[in-house]
């Protein structure tokens, strides 16, 4: 494997960019040839469209609400935003939120290999927090909740500080999950899927109007999944259901009820916590098998119930003034019982193990209310937003620790008696925290100029009692051809629990970023050709980071700093409903710039690869005897990352390939998706010498869909 594990340098990065640009450039010629071919087979555009056997009109995003809380086109938004649409999820057969990051710039998923519980993500060097329908999910020890992607209308990745509209957030950005909504036009879909590790799944969704007067629209989305994993003796089940209802009170007033329920039951083990020797480094006894289970098949279990209920209310007073309110009550109730690896003994084959019990109950009530006013002052058009949001989070978590019998890595014998836990800390976390924020934003248009200015103040009560002020200002210039350079400055904050040696409570860490870039959404390409390209560079700094107190052991000071400088390129294209392109490149230099920890200053931030690149191309024949047949191929590169603050645990770079084949006939679709086609076995991360994680092996999924 060493021959493929050379670090991607800037020259290689430029080659990837040029390859993506070349493919995009070819779309003009390819599009012309396709159009000519279609013209010869059809007498009009209408006839040509009638010949199309499959469409994905929303594959390339154009507008996103989450970045500005207004329906402002992406090309006019002064922030890097990636939108993974429902059409992208369907065409690429994306299985979960982690996989949705594979062909996106600036974002990395699958940080700890395959995981049945959570979505382990990094975004511009930091772990993002997950939002559902614009409101923060009930997150606790992990920033995501693992809601199934089948219920997603889209996924929005907001890159960089987003505190001005969402309050306390990591400086790298957030991920928003927009759930499916009811539509008046009837549509339905049923999908059956079978794949690697005895993966079985049945899913469906249906939507339409419920009465002749178009007053009510409803939808129902559901999924059942049952599969093993690449780990021996591990098994997982999931059930998800999400009903929704829209009440069209009048032409300008709408009330949409949104809900979801998901139950997960993963038994047998979770993987990971393997020693460095035998995974990342050689072991005289051989490599530890990738399917080795360090847990106890009859003991390890992760059981969780996720549910949320809420609404979105929209009311237009007139053409200029409107009001929107989002509310959601949500719960994450999980119980985690795990035997895991805890270090390798001197014989290099006996794995010490420990026991960890982790029941966690989190509930959240969040509401966001905003008034939007559209008005003109002379030649300047204003879209003014004024809002207030409130969130209360209750967290009740217990931790239990204990010992577990050791096991032979190469000849495991399970089922030995497990002693009772020796350290119990019931009510270790029993908190009630609130955030109240008020914000205002003005989006101004004058000729080709677009100016966005936003301010916000938050008040925190609970474990941390503090307030914080954040702001953002961005400027775009929109050329007639759809080219829009922009520059923006934004801030964020994140609470920090605890106090220094003198008893002074820590203040929130702060994030600030300057970003400049260009977006390109070319016009006049035809009704069935869309392209969206973004290129950006940024400098992001997090201040007030905790670092050790050199004068008082076991205490910290807020004198640390992290700086992330980066460049990103991303292109999404859909040409004549035939050619699909996703291309991305990321350079993320995340460095600890100030620290009292000896040897940490100047080192890369853990679990952040400096380079990432990807290219996926898919083509579907739409006419002739092979109409409906399509193939796609993708290549993904992930650079070196480090698992410890001193950069001694180095996860090497990897290049992976994916394949897609699909056939559409009338309302049916048969698809085969293969990820990691070469079945490369490699270490995704090591966070200590006793905690290494294999990445996902090759997975093959066969799906059969029927639409109405």
């Amino acid at each position: 494997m060493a021959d493929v594990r050379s670090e991607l340098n800037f020259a290689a990065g430029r080659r990837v960019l040029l390859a993506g640009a070349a493919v995009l450039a070819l779309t003009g010629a390819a599009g012309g040839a396709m159009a000519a071919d279609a013209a010869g087979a059809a007498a009009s555009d209408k006839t040509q469209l009638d010949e199309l056997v499959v469409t994905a009109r929303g594959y390339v995003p154009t507008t996103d609400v989450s970045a500005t809380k207004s329906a402002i086109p992406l090309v006019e938004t002064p922030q890097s935003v990636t939108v993974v649409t429902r059409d992208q999820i369907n065409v690429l057969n994306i299985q979960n939120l982690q996989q949705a990051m594979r062909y996106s710039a600036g974002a990395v998923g699958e940080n700890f290999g395959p995981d049945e519980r959570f979505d382990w993500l990094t975004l511009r060097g930091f772990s993002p927090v997950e939002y559902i329908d614009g409101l923060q999910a009930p997150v606790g020890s992990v920033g995501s909740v693992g809601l199934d992607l089948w219920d997603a209308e889209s996924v929005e990745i907001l890159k960089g500080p987003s505190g001005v509209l969402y309050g306390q957030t990591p400086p790298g950005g957030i991920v928003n999950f927009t759930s499916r909504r009811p539509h008046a036009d009837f549509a339905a879909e049923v999908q059956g899927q079978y794949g690697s590790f005895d993966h079985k799944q049945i899913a469906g969704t249906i939507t339409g109007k419920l009465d002749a007067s178009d007053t009510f629209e409803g939808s129902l989305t559901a999924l059942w999944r049952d599969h093993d994993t690449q780990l021996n003796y591990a098994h997982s089940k999931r059930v998800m259901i999400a009903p929704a209802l829209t009440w069209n009170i009048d032409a300008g007033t709408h009330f949409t009820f949104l809900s979801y329920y998901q139950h997960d039951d993963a038994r047998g083990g979770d993987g990971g916590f393997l020693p460095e020797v035998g995974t990342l480094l050689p072991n005289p006894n051989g490599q530890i098998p990738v399917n080795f289970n360090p847990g106890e098949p009859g003991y390890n279990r992760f059981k969780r119930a996720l549910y949320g209920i809420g609404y979105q209310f929209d009311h237009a007073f007139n053409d200029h003034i409107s009001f929107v309110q989002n509310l959601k009550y949500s719960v994450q109730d999980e119980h985690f019982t795990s035997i895991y690896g805890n270090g390798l003994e001197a014989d290099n084959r006996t794995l010490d193990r420990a026991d960890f019990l982790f029941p966690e109950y989190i509930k959240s009530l969040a509401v966001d209310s905003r008034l939007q006013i559209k008005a003109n002052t002379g030649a300047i058009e204003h879209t003014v937003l004024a809002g207030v949001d409130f969130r209360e989070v209750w967290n009740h978590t217990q931790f239990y620790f204990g010992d577990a019998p050791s096991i032979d890595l190469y000849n495991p014998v399970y089922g030995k008696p497990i002693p009772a836990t020796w350290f119990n800390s019931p009510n270790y976390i029993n908190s009630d925290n609130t955030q109240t924020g008020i914000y205002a934003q003005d989006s101004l248009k004058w000729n080709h100029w677009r100016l966005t200015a936003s301010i916000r103040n938050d008040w925190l009560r609970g474990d941390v009692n503090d307030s914080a002020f954040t702001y953002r200002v961005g400027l775009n210039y929109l050329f007639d051809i759809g080219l829009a350079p922009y520059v923006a400055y934004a801030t964020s904050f994140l609470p920090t629990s605890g106090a220094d040696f003198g008893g002074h409570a820590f203040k929130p860490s702060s994030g600030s970023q300057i970003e400049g870039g260009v977006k390109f959404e070319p016009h006049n390409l035809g009704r069935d050709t869309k392209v969206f390209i973004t290129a950006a560079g940024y400098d992001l700094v997090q201040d007030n980071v905790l670092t050790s107190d050199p004068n008082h052991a076991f205490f910290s000071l807020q004198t640390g700093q992290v700086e992330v400088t980066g460049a990103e390129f991303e292109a999404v294209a859909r040409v004549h409903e035939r050619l699909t392109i996703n291309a991305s490149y990321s350079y993320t230099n995340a460095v600890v710039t100030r620290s009292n920890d000896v040897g940490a200053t100047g080192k890369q931030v853990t679990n952040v690869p400096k380079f990432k690149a990807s290219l996926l191309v898919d083509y579907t024949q739409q006419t002739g005897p092979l109409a409906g047949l399509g193939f796609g191929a993708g290549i993904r590169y992930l650079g070196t990352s480090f698992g410890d603050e001193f950069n001694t645990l180095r996860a090497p770079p990897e290049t992976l390939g994916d394949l897609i084949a699909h056939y559409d006939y009338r309302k049916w679709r048969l698809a085969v998706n293969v990820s990691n086609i070469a079945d490369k076995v490699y270490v995704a991360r090591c966070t200590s010498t006793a905690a290494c994680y294999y990445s996902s092996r090759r997975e093959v999924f066969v799906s059969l869909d029927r639409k109405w």
Side-chain angles (χ1 to χ4, degrees), residues 381-554:
E381 300 178 28
H382 297 263
T383 300
V384 178
L385 200 68
V388 56
D389 67 24
F390 172 82
R391 180 169 74 248
E392 185 165 11
V393 180
W394 298 267
N395 186 340
H396 180 78
T397 301
Q398 300 167 284
F399 298 128
Y400 301 89
F401 300 92
D403 297 316
S406 60
I407 197 168
D408 191 319
L409 287 167
Y410 302 95
N411 185 27
V413 177
Y414 301 101
K416 297 178 182 178
I418 300 171
T421 54
W422 50 262
F423 179 76
N424 301 343
S425 56
N427 303 323
Y428 185 81
I429 297 177
N430 193 12
S431 63
D432 181 356
N433 294 296
T434 65
Q435 171 190 285
T436 304
I438 57 173
Y439 57 90
Q441 176 179 275
D442 192 1
S443 300
L444 302 90
K445 295 183 179 182
W446 179 68
N447 291 332
H448 293 275
W449 294 97
R450 305 290 187 266
L451 175 66
T452 303
S454 316
I455 58 173
R456 178 185 177 107
N457 202 85
D458 284 281
W459 292 268
L460 308 179
R461 296 293 180 266
D463 294 338
V464 175
N465 295 289
D466 212 330
S467 64
F469 176 79
T470 51
Y471 63 97
R472 175 177 65 180
V473 59
L475 182 66
N476 301 60
Y477 186 87
L478 187 61
F479 289 93
D480 292 334
I481 61 172
L483 189 70
Y486 71 95
V487 63
Y489 184 84
T491 63
S492 66
F493 79 98
L494 196 63
T496 305
S497 299
D500 61 17
F501 179 77
H504 304 102
F506 292 131
K507 57 185 177 181
S509 65
S510 61
S512 61
Q513 174 187 273
I514 185 168
E515 176 180 316
V518 61
K519 300 184 179 185
F520 185 40
E521 186 179 37
H523 306 316
N524 304 320
L525 295 178
R527 59 178 297 179
D528 59 347
T529 296
K530 291 182 179 180
V531 176
F532 191 79
I533 302 172
T534 302
Y538 63 90
D539 185 86
L540 170 60
V541 176
Q542 184 185 35
D543 286 307
N544 302 329
V545 178
L546 293 183
T547 183
S548 60
D549 186 338
N551 300 315
H552 304 95
F554 310 112

Side-chain angles (χ1 to χ4, degrees), residues 287-303:
Q287 183 180 19
I288 299 172
V290 68
N291 59 358
F292 168 72
N293 189 342
E296 277 292 327
Y299 182 83
N300 285 47
R301 187 176 186 184
F302 176 80
K303 190 176 182 180

